[in-house]
Amino acid sequence: MSFVWGDDNIAYLHKRQQALVRNPLFYGMQYSEDPAQIKAWAPLLMEGRDPNQKVAATWMPLGTDVNFGVITRQLTAGLQRNPNFSLHLEHEVRALRQNDDKTWNVTVKDLNAGTESTLKSRFVFIGAGGAALKLLQLSGIPESKNYAGFPVGGQFLAFKSPAIAGRHSVKAYGMAETGSPPMSVPHLDSRKLDGKPVVLFGPFALYSTKFLKHGSWFDLYSSVNHNNVAGMLDVGAENLDLVKYLMGQARLNDDDRQAELVKYFPNAKREDWELVTAGQRVQIIKHDPEKGAVLQFGTEIVTDKDHTLAALLGASPGASTSPPIMLDLLKKAFPEQMAAGWEARLAQIVPSYGRKLNDSPALTNEIRRQTSDTLRLPYLDVPVETSPAVMLTPPPVTPAVPAAPVKESATPTRNCRRCKPFRHRVDTHGVSLQPALAGRFFLHLPLPTATRNLRGRGAVEGSGALSGRSREELHGWIHACPAAPYRPATKPGRGRR
């Protein structure tokens, strides 16, 4: 949702909606200058506002919030079941050295034990957020000499009261002030943290020399060298508006933040919010052959000429851009493998891979229908006819399909203490009672047993929610818990269940 006031901004927003709605990806975007309609979309924006103030808004009926932290933990839990994967937390890379055979020696320090060890790898990916620049410099590849970093932190005003957070269900974006950088666009966001609704307003820039939220104050200074210092000075001189903006943000106090807040949430009170510090961004300063040193808002993938190392630098507009960024990395870092079959496999995994949705209403409908059915989201059909009269007509929206009810088990249950990533409820026989998808259940079995059950014949033995079900019924349901105890079978074909 976008929300503006003032004649110029209202005229701009209307023209923007008229242009975007003709694109299949933005079909369905609605525009209104009616305060009652805008209040129906976002009550907090309108309650307490001067009735004589002219406002306008656009609103999309589609969209959802995504918790990328949960997704990351789920993906990591899946990878940990693979014997070729290991995760080392509280470890820090101290050295990167390329060998004569193009492999890499990576020296890491265990911050808890204080010991160092060296790993050898044919390929290294540096995806350490703000710390990526320093690790890239540590590698010593010639490509690293073209880059420097400019750190900027962010703060938000957080509303955690259900009386407020429960009444705002959109992401409402305004317009940045003249001279402000793109990352400063104010927005009143609906979020869910640990399943609880929260409303955030911001961002407020926070200048820091750290490259990570909990990094060192010397991060910026230690990244400066004879290759990038001149470019950093040039960028500073050419971006005085940004420097002025950051200096102004550094002088803000709570009264100043409250004054900005009431422009979007007129009834907000100072005691309703708390100031929270979000993550740290490191914007790219890079050498451009034509323009010289430039400040870049976005991400960039850097690879060495041998395709043995890749780094992801910069700050993306949001975590939702991570899939296309990583697909782009595969193209740049593994060109031979992509041509030899990876690209075809990716097209199977990602149906829209390599295809443009904004040129095809039929493809847009196909992908959206698949996504909406899987995630149980609202859905609308993009018309094949793209005349202005058709595209400007508000479309009917198919509501989200409610999740299937979860069946309760009468079997005595307990918490699974061994499988922390999933936190299943299991019965006395170790069968998980935690719903997975559409009321299905996982078997909680040690990895060798689960694998054998899938390959074996007949039904899984034992009792519980899945007792007696066939192998075909269980396909895709088994959760092979790497933490579950396993004892070798006493007889061929039989294991402990």
Side-chain angles (χ1 to χ4, degrees), residues 89-127:
L89 302 177
E90 302 293 333
H91 282 63
E92 190 174 83
V93 176
R94 292 299 176 89
L96 273 173
R97 182 176 61 84
Q98 191 170 32
N99 302 311
D100 293 337
D101 61 356
K102 305 301 182 183
T103 60
W104 289 88
N105 283 349
V106 185
T107 301
V108 297
K109 181 175 182 178
D110 185 330
L111 299 181
N112 291 323
T115 57
E116 288 191 355
S117 58
T118 300
L119 309 173
K120 187 175 182 179
S121 177
R122 290 176 296 175
F123 180 80
V124 173
F125 171 61
I126 301 174

Side-chain angles (χ1 to χ4, degrees), residues 361-380:
L363 180 59
T364 300
N365 289 335
E366 174 191 338
I367 300 301
R368 274 189 177 166
R369 170 61 72 183
Q370 183 185 56
T371 303
S372 297
D373 287 347
T374 302
L375 300 180
R376 302 183 182 277
L377 299 175
Y379 171 82
L380 61 83

Side-chain angles (χ1 to χ4, degrees), residues 6-20:
D7 292 337
D8 291 343
N9 290 341
I10 290 174
Y12 167 78
L13 187 64
H14 191 209
K15 290 180 180 178
R16 178 177 180 267
Q17 186 264 352
Q18 295 285 300
L20 287 177

Side-chain angles (χ1 to χ4, degrees), residues 287-497:
H287 175 74
D288 185 274
E290 297 180 359
K291 301 178 181 179
V294 295
L295 179 64
Q296 179 172 308
F297 294 97
T299 55
E300 180 152 333
I301 296 169
V302 182
T303 60
D304 69 329
K305 60 182 178 61
D306 300 313
H307 301 114
T308 62
L309 180 144
L312 177 61
L313 301 181
S316 68
S320 57
T321 61
S322 56
I325 289 172
M326 297 311 294
L327 290 173
D328 190 29
L329 180 138
L330 292 177
K331 290 181 182 178
K332 293 184 177 181
F334 302 98
E336 295 179 1
Q337 292 90 333
M338 289 290 284
W342 284 15
E343 200 152 28
R345 178 59 178 147
L346 283 173
Q348 296 175 350
I349 299 172
V350 185
S352 60
Y353 178 74
R355 306 160 73 186
K356 293 185 66 174
L357 273 68
N358 56 344
D359 288 342
S360 173
L363 180 59
T364 300
N365 289 335
E366 174 191 338
I367 300 301
R368 274 189 177 166
R369 170 61 72 183
Q370 183 185 56
T371 303
S372 297
D373 287 347
T374 302
L375 300 180
R376 302 183 182 277
L377 299 175
Y379 171 82
L380 61 83
D381 269 312
V382 179
V384 177
E385 182 187 351
T386 58
S387 65
V390 173
M391 299 300 281
L392 291 173
T393 302
V397 179
T398 303
V401 178
V406 178
K407 298 179 180 179
E408 297 293 336
S409 172
T411 308
T413 65
R414 59 181 172 82
N415 281 322
C416 172
R417 294 181 295 273
R418 297 169 299 189
C419 187
K420 294 181 180 179
F422 291 89
R423 302 183 186 278
H424 284 153
R425 292 289 294 177
V426 295
D427 67 13
T428 54
H429 304 281
V431 177
S432 174
L433 302 177
Q434 179 69 29
L437 294 173
R440 298 177 182 175
F441 293 88
F442 283 121
L443 270 180
H444 179 92
L445 296 173
L447 184 59
T449 304
T451 303
R452 185 163 53 255
N453 281 334
L454 278 178
R455 294 175 179 173
R457 299 177 179 177
V460 174
E461 298 179 7
S463 61
L466 294 178
S467 175
R469 294 188 182 272
S470 67
R471 178 169 62 94
E472 288 74 16
E473 290 179 291
L474 291 172
H475 181 69
W477 292 12
I478 284 185
H479 160 51
C481 177
Y486 171 69
R487 297 177 183 175
T490 55
K491 295 182 180 180
R494 296 184 62 83
R496 183 175 180 268
R497 294 172 172 80

Side-chain angles (χ1 to χ4, degrees), residues 9 38 67 110 117 141 169 205 231-232 244 247 253 295 340 344 495:
N9 290 341
I38 299 174
N67 191 326
D110 185 330
S117 58
I141 63 174
S169 59
M232 296 179 72
K244 181 180 178 181
M247 292 177 61
N253 56 34
L295 179 64

